[in-house]
Amino acid sequence: MNRRNISRAFSVLPLLIGASLILSSCGGGSGGGGTTAGSNGSISGTAVKGPVSGAAVTAYAIDNGTMGAQVGTGTTDSQGNFMVSTGTYSGPLMFQMSGGTYTDEATNAGMAMHSGDMMTAVIPSVVSGSTMTGIQITPLTSMAQARAHTMTGGMTDANITAANAAVGAYFMVDDILRTLPINPLLQGSGIAAGVNQSMKNYGMTIAALSQYAKTLGMPTSSGIVTAMMNDASDGMFDGMMGGSPISLSGMGGMMSGTMMQSTAGTSSLATAMTAFMNDASVNLSGLTAADMQALINQLNTSSGNLTGAAGSPVNGMISGTVAMGPVSSGTMKAYAVTNGTMGAQLASGSTDSKGNFTMSVGSYAGTVMLQMSGGTYTDLATGATMTLAAGDVMTGIIPSLASGSTTSGLQITPLTSMAQMRAAHMTGGMTETNAAASNTAIGSYFLVNDILKTRPLDPSVAGSGTAATADMRNYGMTIAAISQEAGALGMSSSSGMVTAFMQDASDGVFDGTMNGSPIAMGNMGGGGMMMGNMQGTAGTSGLATAMTTFLNNASMNKSGLTSVDMNALLTKLNGSNGTIQ
């Protein structure tokens, strides 16, 4: 096989494997992969190369690092949105999208995905029967899937996590699976409320790929996605795949004889991004090249080496925010998780006045437990300055961290604390699977899609609810309701209520007991409590009542939200039997 054919063969390999597996597996559509009748797991999201309309989206199980049986299928709507039923399947999952049409950013022309071109994405861990939303299938997730596919062991949980993190770090996007790229063809999309730098970098990277395809004369820009997948597969953007030059013949309708430039993923992409930013006929985002300078500089000076690939510096970083109201001057520590239990300390640091923290975890890979103690915060229900009481902590658990990766935007909150405690008491302890399951379960209970990455709204900030998503609203108001409950009990520090909720969550049911034993509230929250037990309804109707009380208190609730805005969560809590699932 010559070099051109090697390159092209890789680009269609997953498609060919998938076809053979579909033919050999039992059933089609949403069959296979552990799916059973009556199961209700699902994953929804958006396919973006410009939003792709009318594309086929297929989910595949991953078995021993390779693409396995088909789990489910779906079709994208006019905005690129899709939903695929995953039944009872659990484990890593691969998405493959083919066909469909999109509006190319660089030309504003309608294009069809070229035959043989596709976009992919890989999810490290799916919990059986769970609902996941906001998953993106893009050129960047496609590069990450190609990279994971060729790593030693193939598409394992660890390799998927590492590849997603590496591609994200390269293009300065915090989370390529969950960050929604801006669409620069929409007026003011880059300066709209709630748009962060990751969303800008994501959208403009996709636009730059289209711009680069335009300079190459590709009839269909989907071809550059296939080329970049090949280029990323060996961990180095250098126009080669495993040492062999990448032929662009046939990609996106290209004529034969064209080879991929060695700078396609570095300085040439930076040049393409600058050209797109300066073209006012297509860049309607409101952003200029100056807004993208950090990413443009990184691409211009890059060696093409993906973070975490062989030869890259190994210096993993974790950053985020502690929220009970922002916790200032708290002591943050990161711990390895060994055999499901808290192991050696990896790093320590302090939170700043906004609750932000950053820690270096070196080359560690695996599950990480975060713990914060001490610190002060402004209680949401009373406006009083409080200190985390002695013995009270807030925690969080990261299911899988890739060696040398950068993970930002983490939230450490009462909800992540409950999830960490729940995982610690599951069979096997804080394994990667249990950590992912408990984070998902607590999020589902409080109607927050991703408790580790969603930033809670701060209801003490005037109008904060206006631009907040439903997840952000539910998150922030749940924390406020916990503070309201603590105030009603006369706690001198509402951190004691967090400790009580952690214990209540540990056995998987919010019922005021821990493994059948009532939870004693004496001495929680700084010793201000009278002796007594936690109410059985504290995590259900009691929390709903506290939330309603807080929402109706205009002196403390400045978000602009009312009980009507929170009706879905209030109804869920009022009708809940406390089961976490």
Side-chain angles (χ1 to χ4, degrees):
M1 183 180 290
N2 61 35
R3 289 178 173 177
R4 293 179 184 176
N5 289 335
I6 290 172
S7 173
R8 190 60 184 158
F10 177 82
S11 69
V12 299
L13 180 59
L15 187 61
L16 294 175
I17 294 174
S20 64
L21 285 165
I22 294 168
L23 290 173
S24 63
S25 64
C26 295
S30 57
T35 302
T36 58
S39 56
N40 59 356
S42 66
I43 299 179
S44 60
T46 311
V48 182
K49 169 88 199 61
V52 186
S53 172
V57 177
T58 306
Y60 295 95
I62 294 177
D63 187 10
N64 294 321
T66 62
M67 189 170 76
Q70 180 177 308
V71 173
T73 62
T75 304
T76 61
D77 66 15
S78 61
Q79 301 302 310
N81 301 314
F82 67 88
M83 195 282 286
V84 173
S85 174
T86 55
T88 60
Y89 176 78
S90 64
L93 195 70
M94 174 178 167
F95 279 104
Q96 189 178 89
M97 189 222 77
S98 60
T101 59
Y102 60 94
T103 302
D104 180 70
E105 290 92 344
T107 63
N108 205 19
M111 292 185 178
M113 288 285 289
H114 192 263
S115 175
D117 294 333
M118 60 186 175
M119 294 200 299
T120 57
V122 274
I123 301 174
S125 183
V126 173
V127 178
S128 177
S130 65
T131 298
M132 297 180 69
T133 60
I135 296 298
Q136 306 298 309
I137 303 176
T138 71
L140 272 63
T141 63
S142 303
M143 296 176 214
Q145 180 273 318
R147 176 65 187 129
H149 175 81
T150 61
M151 293 170 72
T152 302
M155 293 182 287
T156 62
D157 281 6
N159 286 349
I160 291 170
T161 300
N164 284 338
V167 172
Y170 189 88
F171 294 107
M172 301 179 71
V173 178
D174 282 342
D175 184 348
I176 62 173
L177 277 179
R178 289 192 176 275
T179 300
L180 181 66
I182 66 164
N183 183 349
L185 294 177
L186 297 180
Q187 192 75 43
S189 57
I191 55 176
V195 172
N196 58 37
Q197 193 61 46
S198 282
M199 297 165 70
K200 298 173 187 178
N201 291 345
Y202 210 158
M204 289 306 179
T205 295
I206 297 172
L209 291 172
S210 290
Q211 185 73 34
Y212 185 60
K214 177 183 176 182
T215 65
L216 294 175
M218 279 189 171
T220 304
S221 57
S222 64
I224 204 65
V225 179
T226 302
M228 292 294 286
M229 288 172 70
N230 288 348
D231 201 6
S233 64
D234 57 7
M236 178 71 74
F237 287 114
D238 59 0
M240 306 180 79
M241 187 181 75
S244 299
I246 296 170
S247 170
L248 298 180
S249 297
M251 293 184 187
M254 285 286 285
M255 300 296 290
S256 61
T258 304
M259 307 303 292
M260 192 174 191
Q261 292 180 321
S262 61
T263 59
T266 55
S267 58
S268 292
L269 193 61
T271 299
M273 185 175 294
T274 302
F276 178 84
M277 300 299 301
N278 292 334
D279 188 346
S281 67
V282 287
N283 176 24
L284 306 180
S285 68
L287 301 176
T288 68
D291 297 306
M292 303 303 301
Q293 200 59 54
L295 178 54
I296 290 171
N297 289 346
Q298 176 160 302
L299 293 171
N300 267 322
T301 59
S302 176
S303 66
N305 205 340
L306 286 170
T307 303
S312 295
V314 179
N315 185 28
M317 302 295 294
I318 296 175
S319 63
T321 307
V322 182
M324 178 68 187
V327 183
S328 173
S329 301
T331 299
M332 281 295 307
K333 294 181 179 180
Y335 295 92
V337 174
T338 305
N339 296 323
T341 62
M342 187 171 75
Q345 181 176 313
L346 300 171
S348 63
S350 299
T351 61
D352 65 15
S353 61
K354 301 296 185 182
N356 301 315
F357 66 89
T358 300
M359 293 183 288
S360 172
V361 293
S363 61
Y364 177 79
T367 304
V368 176
M369 176 182 162
L370 301 175
Q371 185 182 85
M372 193 218 69
S373 59
T376 60
Y377 60 97
T378 301
D379 183 68
L380 295 173
T382 65
T385 300
M386 294 184 176
T387 301
L388 245 74
D392 293 336
V393 296
M394 290 206 296
T395 59
I397 188 161
I398 306 172
S400 183
L401 192 71
S403 177
S405 65
T406 297
T407 303
S408 59
L410 293 169
Q411 304 298 311
I412 305 301
T413 70
L415 272 63
T416 63
S417 303
M418 297 177 214
Q420 179 274 317
M421 184 67 84
R422 175 65 188 130
H425 286 77
M426 293 170 72
T427 302
M430 294 182 289
T431 63
E432 179 181 342
T433 299
N434 286 349
S438 61
N439 284 337
T440 298
I442 291 294
S444 177
Y445 189 88
F446 294 107
L447 299 182
V448 180
N449 188 56
D450 185 348
I451 61 173
L452 275 180
K453 287 281 191 176
T454 300
R455 191 178 184 96
L457 73 80
D458 184 346
S460 67
V461 176
S464 57
T466 302
T469 64
D471 281 357
M472 296 166 68
R473 295 177 178 184
N474 292 340
Y475 210 157
M477 289 304 178
T478 297
I479 297 173
I482 291 171
S483 291
Q484 187 73 40
E485 278 197 309
L489 293 173
M491 286 185 169
S492 59
S493 174
S494 53
S495 65
M497 202 67 200
V498 179
T499 300
F501 265 95
M502 289 172 69
Q503 293 179 7
D504 200 8
S506 64
D507 58 7
V509 182
F510 287 118
D511 59 0
T513 70
M514 184 175 178
N515 292 323
S517 298
I519 297 170
M521 301 290 287
N523 295 321
M524 286 189 184
M529 283 291 296
M530 300 294 290
M531 294 300 292
N533 294 328
M534 189 176 191
Q535 291 184 327
T537 58
T540 55
S541 59
L543 193 62
T545 298
M547 189 177 295
T548 301
T549 300
F550 177 83
L551 285 161
N552 292 335
N553 185 353
S555 65
M556 301 310 302
N557 174 26
K558 301 177 182 177
S559 67
L561 301 177
T562 68
S563 296
V564 174
D565 299 304
M566 301 303 300
N567 187 62
L569 179 55
L570 289 169
T571 300
K572 187 170 193 286
L573 292 172
N574 270 317
S576 175
N577 65 4
T579 301
I580 302 167
Q581 56 184 351

